[in-house]
Amino acid sequence: MPQQEEHVLVIPASVIDSIGAFEGFEADAERYLDQILRSEQLAYRPRGAMEVDPSFKQLIPYVVLQHTDDSGQTSVFTYTRGGGGGEKRLHAKRSIGIGGHISREDAGEGQEAYDSGMQRELDEEICLESDYTETREGLIYDPSNEVGQVHLGVVHRFVLHSPDVTSNEEDLADGGFVPVETLRAERAELETWSQLALDALFA
């Protein structure tokens, strides 16, 4: 029996443009998400078609995990995208964001489906054994490449009480905490979304 294609949560680009077109990092996440997640045009569509159709944007939670040690040094969990089942166009890039698509299997609608999908992605990709506080920091849209043209990133910051995080998937290779200063020095090695998130969250 053939495997059924994944359907992912998307919003027409026209809805985003009606709120206010932007590129790069947009700090006012709530203004956009309140309307996007309540929109009647929010829908699940076949992932294969959506990956090549910029008239729709796939919603992607992008969770940045940070920890500050007793000396005051802030570090961020980072990893190298491997060769597993993720976005192959991003392989071999370093990333500071954990997350992925919201699928039709993430029960519920709107905000409920979004939250469930984000938690599922976190559980699949990492083992997080620390308490944390969460804030939603902004949106990322980068039309400069074919991956960015079809995705809308929602940046969440998790401030961890302890650096107890490990990778659950081979696709997240070399996972570990790296000081922000080091990430800034090695910024060119990061995927574009991570560069934008690093600049915005740790200015």
Side-chain angles (χ1 to χ4, degrees):
M1 186 174 178
Q3 185 175 1
Q4 189 173 9
E5 182 176 6
E6 180 183 15
H7 282 59
V8 296
L9 192 63
V10 299
I11 190 73
S14 59
V15 173
I16 299 170
D17 291 341
S18 71
I19 304 170
F22 72 93
E23 293 184 12
F25 189 90
E26 166 57 57
D28 193 357
E30 303 310 319
R31 179 164 72 96
Y32 286 81
L33 285 178
D34 285 348
Q35 297 185 55
I36 289 172
L37 294 175
R38 288 188 286 107
S39 173
E40 293 182 355
Q41 298 186 67
L42 193 67
Y44 293 97
R45 292 178 177 266
R47 179 172 176 179
M50 294 298 94
E51 292 290 1
V52 293
D53 187 352
S55 69
F56 291 91
K57 308 305 177 189
Q58 302 165 55
L59 294 182
I60 307 291
Y62 199 69
V63 179
V64 177
L65 309 171
Q66 75 175 68
H67 175 257
T68 302
D69 63 20
D70 292 340
S71 70
Q73 182 181 67
T74 297
S75 297
V76 175
F77 186 80
T78 183
Y79 62 93
T80 300
R81 293 190 184 273
E87 175 54 76
K88 292 178 173 54
R89 292 170 291 186
L90 296 177
H91 285 167
K93 289 286 190 178
R94 295 288 288 174
S95 178
I96 65 169
I98 303 291
H101 298 84
I102 308 301
S103 297
R104 188 162 58 186
E105 289 69 31
D106 298 314
E109 298 180 359
Q111 184 71 52
E112 181 183 351
Y114 178 87
D115 291 341
S116 296
M118 181 176 74
Q119 190 59 55
R120 173 185 53 76
E121 285 286 347
L122 286 169
D123 292 342
E124 288 175 359
E125 296 188 0
I126 60 170
C127 179
L128 174 57
E129 297 183 339
S130 170
D131 293 332
Y132 59 87
T133 56
E134 174 188 355
T135 53
R136 196 150 58 188
E137 297 286 345
L139 303 178
I140 288 177
Y141 177 58
D142 171 35
S144 68
N145 59 77
E146 61 181 9
V147 179
Q149 289 171 5
V150 295
H151 294 96
L152 180 68
V154 185
V155 180
H156 300 254
R157 187 202 304 256
F158 284 16
V159 178
L160 309 186
H161 294 186
S162 62
D164 295 320
V165 182
T166 53
S167 300
N168 277 342
E169 296 184 346
E170 292 182 3
D171 197 41
L172 277 66
D174 306 318
F177 282 86
V178 176
V180 169
E181 292 77 8
T182 302
L183 290 173
R184 287 200 186 104
E186 300 174 354
R187 184 180 181 278
E189 299 178 13
L190 297 174
E191 64 187 22
T192 307
W193 277 19
S194 288
Q195 293 180 0
L196 293 168
L198 180 70
D199 295 346
L201 271 59
F202 304 98

